[in-house]
Amino acid sequence: RYIDGVPDTWWLVDLGPAHTLSPTHYTIRHDASEDFVRSWVLQGSLDGLSWTDLRKHINDRSIKKPAQYASWPVIGSAAQAAYRMFRLLLLGPTASRERPYNFPLTYIELYGVVVVSFDNIAIQTMTRKDKDFNL
């Protein structure tokens, strides 16, 4: 949906105040509908107010079947930073004529370096699709 001409359909993942993630890749899985998402952006934030674009998709046709999943790398200087919150923001209509601003999603997976903070002590963990690594 759009509010005052601005896209406003999104999903949000909040890792909580003690966790941040420097993303390297992400995966989404579409739901069982044929309302395939085409244009969206993955964004990161520390406070939920200021958002940084991490990976933008315009007319992306990677998702073609119900329940399909796809993965993408997160590259560039913005991907080097750590974020507490991640948002998938719909930028344009889906393939659906009935619900063009519905963002159908079964799940999102985020991969990268996780930092857990406990009162001035930080522990880093690297996550990948096939393994978890403690650093």
Side-chain angles (χ1 to χ4, degrees), residues 7-73:
D8 195 47
T9 301
W10 46 267
W11 288 93
L12 176 75
V13 175
D14 185 346
L15 302 178
H19 298 81
T20 58
L21 173 74
S22 296
T24 59
H25 293 79
Y26 80 103
T27 298
I28 62 172
R29 183 172 185 182
H30 186 72
D31 72 1
S33 74
E34 293 188 0
D35 302 347
F36 307 123
V37 64
R38 295 291 178 237
S39 298
W40 73 97
V41 62
L42 173 68
Q43 298 177 314
S45 176
L46 285 172
D47 60 9
L49 301 173
S50 176
W51 293 92
T52 301
D53 290 353
L54 302 175
R55 172 94 191 207
K56 190 179 276 190
H57 302 262
I58 303 297
N59 200 25
D60 187 316
R61 301 205 176 258
S62 299
I63 305 289
K64 301 173 196 155
K65 297 185 257 181
Q68 183 180 352
Y69 61 89
S71 301
W72 299 270

Side-chain angles (χ1 to χ4, degrees), residues 50-110:
S50 176
W51 293 92
T52 301
D53 290 353
L54 302 175
R55 172 94 191 207
K56 190 179 276 190
H57 302 262
I58 303 297
N59 200 25
D60 187 316
R61 301 205 176 258
S62 299
I63 305 289
K64 301 173 196 155
K65 297 185 257 181
Q68 183 180 352
Y69 61 89
S71 301
W72 299 270
V74 178
I75 56 177
S77 59
Q80 303 304 312
Y83 305 93
R84 171 185 165 173
M85 298 173 196
F86 294 87
R87 177 170 73 173
L88 291 170
L89 176 65
L90 191 65
L91 297 177
T94 66
S96 172
R97 291 184 180 171
E98 295 81 29
R99 297 175 302 274
Y101 293 98
N102 181 37
F103 197 150
L105 185 69
T106 300
Y107 67 76
I108 178 174
E109 294 179 357
L110 299 164

